[in-house]
Amino acid sequence: MSDSPRAELIKLETDRRLGHEWDEWDGTPLPRNGDFDSPPKLFFVWSAAATAVAMGLAFGVLWLLRPHLASISPRLVTVATWSVAILAALSWTWWALIAASYLLKRPLLPERLAERGLYLRLMSWTSRVASRFGRRDWVENASVKVYNALALIRQRKVKTGELLLLVPRCLSRETLEGVLEVAKRYAVPVFVATRGQLARRVIKERRPRAVVAVACERDMVSGLHDVAGKIPVLGLVLKLPSGPCKDTVLDLVQLENWVKAYVA
Ligand code: SF4
C-alpha cells in the first residue's frame, strides 16, 4: 500500500439556494472580467472614510440628543461629549496601530484587537460604506489582503491533519482539480461548501486548528466575519471570468503558499 499523502474530500448535501451574495446581479459581465484585484492601500483609504462616517454619526446623534440630555442635567451633556470624543480618539489610535502593524509587519496588537476581532468589524463596516458607492468588491479585495497580511505576521503553524481547505462549489473543473492536487500534496482535507452555513458546520464538526478558505470577495468578508474570530483563517479570493457562482478560478500558487504558511 502506498504511503503517499491522500487528499480527503468531504461532502455534505444541501437543498438551500446558492450564491445569495449575488442576488442582485443583473446578468451583465462583471467589471474587468470579475477580477477585483486591488492594492491594500485602497482598504486604508476606505476604512479611514468609514471610520470618519461612524464618528460623524456618533457626533450627529450626540448633537440631536443634546437638548434632551441638557433638560435632564447639563453634566450629562459634558459626560456624553467627552465619551464620544474619547471613543473617537481611541478609534483613530487603533486604526493607526492596525496600519502600523501592516506596514511594519509586526503584531502591535493582540489577535482579538486585530485580525481575529475588531478588524473583522472594521472590514464589514467599510464594506457597507463602499457598497453605497459601488466599490464593494474592490475594497473587499483590498481588505482581505490586509487581513491575510495581519494573520501571516503571527506565523502560526499546525499539523497537516489540523488544517482544513474550504472551497466553494463554483470552481471551474480545472481549478477544482488543481485544488485537489495541492490538497493531496500536503495531505490536507478539502471541503466543498455549497453554502456558508455548511462551511461553518464542517468547521464545528471537524474542529480544524486552522483554515485556508477560498471564496469571492463578498462571501469571504461575511465568512471571515463569522469564522475568523473562532479559528485562524487565511483567505484566497476568486476571479469570476464567467460572472458570479460559475466556473470561477483562483491562483493555485497562492493557494499552495497559504497552505505552506500553516503547514510546517
Ligand atoms: S464563493 Fe462562489 S458560489 Fe459563493 S457567492 Fe461567491 S461566487 Fe457565488
Side-chain angles (χ1 to χ4, degrees), residues 9-27:
L9 190 61
I10 309 156
K11 281 187 175 174
L12 294 180
E13 296 301 325
T14 179
D15 55 0
R16 293 189 66 178
R17 196 165 58 80
L18 308 174
H20 70 284
E21 296 285 356
W22 290 94
D23 275 350
E24 86 286 5
W25 184 53
D26 60 6

Side-chain angles (χ1 to χ4, degrees), residues 18-22 167-171 193-196 214-220 238-240 243-246 248:
L18 308 174
H20 70 284
E21 296 285 356
W22 290 94
V167 298
R169 53 98 208 169
C170 58
L171 296 181
T194 47
R195 284 286 289 189
V214 175
C216 63
E217 285 82 356
R218 299 180 181 203
D219 223 19
M220 182 67 75
L238 296 165
K239 292 182 174 52
L240 317 173
C245 311
K246 187 183 173 198
T248 59

Side-chain angles (χ1 to χ4, degrees), residues 90-106:
L90 286 175
S91 299
W92 286 114
T93 304
W94 174 80
W95 185 93
L97 284 170
I98 288 287
S101 298
Y102 174 80
L103 291 172
L104 300 174
K105 296 186 172 47
R106 292 186 57 192

